[in-house]
Amino acid sequence: MNNHPFGEVVYAYTRSQAVADGFQIEVTKTAQEAGIRFPVFLTRSVYDAYVTVPPVVAGQDEAGRLWDVVNLLKFAIRKAQPGQVRLPFALYVRNDNRRPRLAKLVAMCGPLDIDDPAPAITVMLPDED
């Protein structure tokens, strides 16, 4: 009997490969400090746009910007409806020395990896999957 109901897997790209390749960044330690129990990962585009401090921005650091992302994720999780698959949330981020702009993000909970069904959260831009 075939163990794969749709046939053999032709290609798989695991989360551990995505982390090793730099496409996802694990921020679990900071998320745990904020009170989130599951492992948390940010896509590279989220990290680069909203955690990394642009060189022209004064008075900010990556630790503080990351804390803002995971802390607002925590509040969004608390407000989530049962069974909600995509969890939108937003925060204001200053990427220049002008006023902050609204950044919209989406969190999804799914398996930690292809061979590990434990839950993990991925934070991404709204147009990422």
Side-chain angles (χ1 to χ4, degrees):
M1 192 81 186
N2 188 353
N3 291 336
H4 305 281
F6 300 107
E8 292 295 318
V9 175
V10 176
Y11 178 79
Y13 189 67
T14 67
R15 185 186 303 270
S16 57
Q17 288 174 308
V19 170
D21 293 343
F23 291 114
Q24 290 191 3
I25 294 83
E26 183 171 6
V27 297
T28 300
K29 183 178 179 195
T30 303
Q32 287 174 337
E33 291 171 4
I36 299 172
R37 296 181 187 171
F38 297 155
V40 176
F41 298 84
L42 305 181
T43 62
R44 170 57 64 189
S45 55
V46 168
Y47 193 89
D48 288 347
Y50 304 123
V51 176
T52 300
V53 181
V56 298
V57 175
Q60 293 194 5
D61 62 13
E62 286 190 7
R65 288 167 64 110
L66 177 58
W67 179 257
D68 291 345
V69 172
V70 297
N71 206 32
L72 287 166
L73 170 61
K74 175 185 69 174
F75 291 127
I77 291 168
R78 287 182 178 170
K79 290 176 43 178
Q81 301 298 315
Q84 191 171 357
V85 177
R86 290 176 60 91
L87 182 60
F89 69 104
L91 69 153
Y92 282 94
V93 178
R94 189 167 52 86
N95 278 336
D96 54 29
N97 286 316
R98 297 188 180 121
R99 54 196 324 206
R101 296 178 192 234
L102 186 65
K104 295 181 179 182
L105 301 173
V106 174
M108 293 185 71
C109 189
L112 179 60
D113 214 331
I114 196 164
D115 58 349
D116 187 349
I121 299 169
T122 305
V123 177
M124 63 193 87
L125 297 176
D127 62 345
E128 292 182 305
D129 288 334

PDB file of all heavy atoms in Angstrom, residues 55-56 70 72 82 95 98 101 118 125:
ATOM      1  N   PRO A  55      20.099  52.374   7.919  1.00  0.00           N
ATOM      2  CA  PRO A  55      21.219  53.174   8.414  1.00  0.00           C
ATOM      3  C   PRO A  55      20.874  54.636   8.691  1.00  0.00           C
ATOM      4  O   PRO A  55      21.528  55.275   9.497  1.00  0.00           O
ATOM      5  CB  PRO A  55      22.276  53.062   7.318  1.00  0.00           C
ATOM      6  CG  PRO A  55      21.697  52.273   6.224  1.00  0.00           C
ATOM      7  CD  PRO A  55      20.370  51.758   6.638  1.00  0.00           C
ATOM      8  N   VAL A  56      19.844  55.149   8.054  1.00  0.00           N
ATOM      9  CA  VAL A  56      19.498  56.565   8.223  1.00  0.00           C
ATOM     10  C   VAL A  56      18.597  56.813   9.432  1.00  0.00           C
ATOM     11  O   VAL A  56      18.323  57.956   9.770  1.00  0.00           O
ATOM     12  CB  VAL A  56      18.812  57.120   6.958  1.00  0.00           C
ATOM     13  CG1 VAL A  56      19.750  57.035   5.762  1.00  0.00           C
ATOM     14  CG2 VAL A  56      17.512  56.385   6.673  1.00  0.00           C
ATOM     15  N   VAL A  70       6.911  40.907  17.845  1.00  0.00           N
ATOM     16  CA  VAL A  70       6.408  39.743  18.583  1.00  0.00           C
ATOM     17  C   VAL A  70       5.387  40.138  19.648  1.00  0.00           C
ATOM     18  O   VAL A  70       4.449  39.383  19.920  1.00  0.00           O
ATOM     19  CB  VAL A  70       7.540  38.875  19.185  1.00  0.00           C
ATOM     20  CG1 VAL A  70       8.418  38.292  18.089  1.00  0.00           C
ATOM     21  CG2 VAL A  70       8.368  39.620  20.181  1.00  0.00           C
ATOM     22  N   LEU A  72       3.190  42.642  19.432  1.00  0.00           N
ATOM     23  CA  LEU A  72       1.911  42.868  18.750  1.00  0.00           C
ATOM     24  C   LEU A  72       1.347  41.562  18.201  1.00  0.00           C
ATOM     25  O   LEU A  72       0.127  41.396  18.133  1.00  0.00           O
ATOM     26  CB  LEU A  72       2.057  43.934  17.680  1.00  0.00           C
ATOM     27  CG  LEU A  72       2.198  45.332  18.307  1.00  0.00           C
ATOM     28  CD1 LEU A  72       2.683  46.346  17.304  1.00  0.00           C
ATOM     29  CD2 LEU A  72       0.878  45.764  18.917  1.00  0.00           C
ATOM     30  N   PRO A  82     -11.466  31.400  17.346  1.00  0.00           N
ATOM     31  CA  PRO A  82     -11.163  29.970  17.199  1.00  0.00           C
ATOM     32  C   PRO A  82     -11.229  29.548  15.723  1.00  0.00           C
ATOM     33  O   PRO A  82     -12.131  29.952  14.994  1.00  0.00           O
ATOM     34  CB  PRO A  82     -12.271  29.287  18.004  1.00  0.00           C
ATOM     35  CG  PRO A  82     -12.739  30.327  18.975  1.00  0.00           C
ATOM     36  CD  PRO A  82     -12.576  31.644  18.272  1.00  0.00           C
ATOM     37  N   ASN A  95      10.947  53.775   9.223  1.00  0.00           N
ATOM     38  CA  ASN A  95      12.082  53.372   8.398  1.00  0.00           C
ATOM     39  C   ASN A  95      12.836  54.575   7.832  1.00  0.00           C
ATOM     40  O   ASN A  95      13.680  54.432   6.954  1.00  0.00           O
ATOM     41  CB  ASN A  95      11.646  52.437   7.276  1.00  0.00           C
ATOM     42  CG  ASN A  95      11.508  51.014   7.767  1.00  0.00           C
ATOM     43  OD1 ASN A  95      12.125  50.624   8.755  1.00  0.00           O
ATOM     44  ND2 ASN A  95      10.692  50.232   7.103  1.00  0.00           N
ATOM     45  N   ARG A  98      11.257  60.345   9.611  1.00  0.00           N
ATOM     46  CA  ARG A  98       9.979  61.041   9.565  1.00  0.00           C
ATOM     47  C   ARG A  98       8.994  60.288  10.439  1.00  0.00           C
ATOM     48  O   ARG A  98       9.364  59.560  11.343  1.00  0.00           O
ATOM     49  CB  ARG A  98       9.501  61.128   8.116  1.00  0.00           C
ATOM     50  CG  ARG A  98      10.449  61.932   7.252  1.00  0.00           C
ATOM     51  CD  ARG A  98       9.871  62.185   5.884  1.00  0.00           C
ATOM     52  NE  ARG A  98      10.811  62.961   5.111  1.00  0.00           N
ATOM     53  CZ  ARG A  98      11.330  62.561   3.982  1.00  0.00           C
ATOM     54  NH1 ARG A  98      10.984  61.401   3.468  1.00  0.00           N
ATOM     55  NH2 ARG A  98      12.176  63.315   3.333  1.00  0.00           N
ATOM     56  N   ARG A 101       5.096  54.595   9.744  1.00  0.00           N
ATOM     57  CA  ARG A 101       4.070  54.154   8.787  1.00  0.00           C
ATOM     58  C   ARG A 101       3.525  52.799   9.224  1.00  0.00           C
ATOM     59  O   ARG A 101       4.233  51.998   9.816  1.00  0.00           O
ATOM     60  CB  ARG A 101       4.644  54.058   7.388  1.00  0.00           C
ATOM     61  CG  ARG A 101       5.070  55.419   6.888  1.00  0.00           C
ATOM     62  CD  ARG A 101       5.674  55.323   5.531  1.00  0.00           C
ATOM     63  NE  ARG A 101       6.298  56.598   5.247  1.00  0.00           N
ATOM     64  CZ  ARG A 101       6.034  57.307   4.179  1.00  0.00           C
ATOM     65  NH1 ARG A 101       5.187  56.866   3.296  1.00  0.00           N
ATOM     66  NH2 ARG A 101       6.643  58.455   3.988  1.00  0.00           N
ATOM     67  N   ALA A 118       4.654  19.466  15.229  1.00  0.00           N
ATOM     68  CA  ALA A 118       4.466  20.412  16.336  1.00  0.00           C
ATOM     69  C   ALA A 118       4.141  21.788  15.764  1.00  0.00           C
ATOM     70  O   ALA A 118       4.674  22.181  14.728  1.00  0.00           O
ATOM     71  CB  ALA A 118       5.718  20.471  17.192  1.00  0.00           C
ATOM     72  N   LEU A 125       4.539  38.899   5.153  1.00  0.00           N
ATOM     73  CA  LEU A 125       3.794  39.994   4.535  1.00  0.00           C
ATOM     74  C   LEU A 125       2.476  39.442   4.010  1.00  0.00           C
ATOM     75  O   LEU A 125       2.366  38.236   3.717  1.00  0.00           O
ATOM     76  CB  LEU A 125       4.613  40.600   3.387  1.00  0.00           C
ATOM     77  CG  LEU A 125       5.936  41.243   3.788  1.00  0.00           C
ATOM     78  CD1 LEU A 125       6.696  41.714   2.551  1.00  0.00           C
ATOM     79  CD2 LEU A 125       5.717  42.392   4.743  1.00  0.00           C
TER      80      LEU A 125
END
